[in-house]
Amino acid sequence: MEPVAVFPLAEVLVPHEPIAADQVVSGAPTSGAATVTALDGLGVEIGVWEMSAGTATDVEADEAFVLLAGRAVIELEDGAKFEIKPGDLVRLAAGTKTVWHVSEPLRKVYVIKA
């Protein structure tokens, strides 16, 4: 591995696919992810994820991310809501059931155990 690696995240292309119909609550959201790098020996993946405007359900993995662009509200099963905006660092616990209400297309850099 190189001693220093720079990843121009603004240039990472993320191919989108429609979100599964059984997860869509409203709209016609799409999403996609692109792995950027991994931390060898730790089983950690770092990448870019995007979601278009719309509302969809998900079951989360153990993850931390920084929102680079867009706006959304993450809603939990108990009704708790978290507004997220660019620059926010968000931590998600594995198994958490969420509803993503995306008002402006999201782009985040994520760190996840692969």
Side-chain angles (χ1 to χ4, degrees), residues 36-50:
V36 175
T37 190
L39 300 180
D40 295 332
L42 297 178
V44 173
E45 177 183 303
I46 302 165
V48 175
W49 178 87
E50 295 179 346

Side-chain angles (χ1 to χ4, degrees), residues 5-49:
V6 176
F7 303 97
L9 296 178
E11 298 174 17
V12 174
L13 298 177
V14 179
H16 279 231
E17 294 185 4
I19 291 176
D22 63 337
Q23 292 179 268
V24 174
V25 175
S26 68
T30 62
S31 68
T35 301
V36 175
T37 190
L39 300 180
D40 295 332
L42 297 178
V44 173
E45 177 183 303
I46 302 165
V48 175
W49 178 87

Side-chain angles (χ1 to χ4, degrees), residues 7-110:
F7 303 97
L9 296 178
E11 298 174 17
V12 174
L13 298 177
V14 179
H16 279 231
E17 294 185 4
I19 291 176
D22 63 337
Q23 292 179 268
V24 174
V25 175
S26 68
T30 62
S31 68
T35 301
V36 175
T37 190
L39 300 180
D40 295 332
L42 297 178
V44 173
E45 177 183 303
I46 302 165
V48 175
W49 178 87
E50 295 179 346
M51 181 176 163
S52 66
T55 303
T57 63
D58 199 9
V59 177
E60 303 304 332
D62 199 19
E63 174 186 355
F65 69 84
V66 174
L67 193 62
L68 301 174
R71 292 191 180 275
V73 172
I74 302 170
E75 182 177 358
L76 304 183
E77 275 188 303
D78 66 5
K81 296 180 181 181
F82 302 87
E83 291 186 37
I84 59 172
K85 62 189 181 319
D88 286 349
L89 171 64
V90 179
R91 176 76 167 77
L92 300 169
T96 302
K97 294 180 181 179
T98 56
V99 178
W100 289 71
H101 303 271
V102 178
S103 56
E104 296 175 20
L106 299 180
R107 184 175 175 92
K108 68 181 185 182
V109 60
Y110 66 85

